[in-house]
Amino acid sequence: MGSAGAIEINDTILSLFSQLKAEIEGVKKHSSDDTIAAIDKHICRLERLYNELIHTTGSKGSVNELLKVQQRLHENKANLISQIENTNDSIWSVNEKLQIKTINSNFVNNYKTAFGVSLKEGVSVLISLPEPLKSIWRGRYQRALKGEQFSITDRFDIKGVPNYTETSFNPIKLNNEFVGVACFSRDI
């Protein structure tokens, strides 16, 4: 692989690193102390990997080193995904186009129960929402995309039984630009 291939791998790793770090910060805002400690440990690993990336770029054998760093970034992402799955809360994030970026199985299951659609990465989070819910939730995401962090309490009646949830909206900032929203929803 030539220098163009190494540059492409470098760009991919830097992009993954930036996205992952922004998502981590969103997850930390509404996590327990134990989860925050585990996340901080992953952040330290990511920063070490990033520093290794910077030092290996341009050196002999850098493609192999970059591939190793990329593999470690994927492993760290897998570790973080396992942490968002280790909760009863619904956790998801969307990009500026309101497409799912990360999602845990609780949110997938709750959304499917409520609206009959299985969400996955890349799909619009607003898919199948009836009006006026679609307008309400679009407004919430847009509010967070402007940089506001906030929480909302909603009441949903499921089979005639009232259920209350609190959903937190946390802007994801990357290079001084709001690029997404991390959301956490729990029964109250």
Side-chain angles (χ1 to χ4, degrees):
M1 184 181 303
S3 62
I7 290 169
E8 183 178 324
I9 292 171
N10 186 18
D11 290 346
T12 300
I13 292 171
L14 290 175
S15 174
L16 281 171
F17 176 80
S18 297
Q19 290 172 9
L20 190 54
K21 191 165 182 181
E23 288 180 21
I24 289 168
E25 290 304 320
V27 169
K28 280 178 63 175
K29 290 180 182 173
H30 292 281
S31 299
S32 69
D33 290 340
D34 290 340
T35 302
I36 289 172
I39 289 171
D40 284 339
K41 182 178 172 183
H42 289 296
I43 289 173
C44 288
R45 283 187 195 155
L46 286 172
E47 288 172 345
R48 278 196 313 271
L49 291 171
Y50 179 76
N51 288 331
E52 286 179 36
L53 172 66
I54 297 302
H55 288 97
T56 59
T57 302
S59 65
K60 190 171 184 178
S62 64
V63 172
N64 287 334
E65 291 300 316
L66 289 173
L67 289 172
K68 288 177 187 175
V69 171
Q70 186 177 29
Q71 176 61 32
R72 284 186 255 167
L73 283 171
H74 286 295
E75 288 170 5
N76 277 307
K77 184 173 183 178
N79 288 332
L80 290 169
I81 288 170
S82 70
Q83 287 182 7
I84 70 169
E85 288 294 338
N86 191 23
T87 181
N88 291 326
D89 298 344
S90 291
I91 300 174
W92 69 100
S93 65
V94 297
N95 62 17
E96 64 277 359
K97 295 177 184 175
L98 306 184
Q99 297 166 322
I100 297 288
K101 292 296 289 176
T102 56
I103 190 167
N104 75 351
S105 58
N106 286 331
F107 187 59
V108 170
N109 294 335
N110 292 339
Y111 199 95
K112 185 170 184 168
T113 298
F115 304 109
V117 173
S118 291
L119 291 176
K120 61 183 179 180
E121 287 185 27
V123 172
S124 170
V125 72
L126 300 177
I127 194 167
S128 79
L129 281 180
E131 288 294 345
L133 286 179
K134 190 176 283 190
S135 296
I136 291 168
W137 281 86
R138 179 179 288 114
R140 292 173 178 178
Y141 292 119
Q142 289 173 344
R143 186 173 153 192
L145 282 166
K146 292 178 182 173
E148 185 179 349
Q149 180 182 354
F150 61 96
S151 295
I152 300 284
T153 301
D154 285 306
R155 176 186 167 165
F156 296 98
D157 290 335
I158 300 175
K159 297 180 182 175
V161 178
N163 292 284
Y164 295 89
T165 61
E166 178 182 54
T167 305
S168 299
F169 296 81
N170 303 285
I172 299 172
K173 192 173 186 178
L174 180 62
N175 299 325
N176 294 321
E177 184 179 327
F178 295 107
V179 296
V181 181
C183 299
F184 306 84
S185 185
R186 65 180 60 192
D187 291 335
I188 55 173

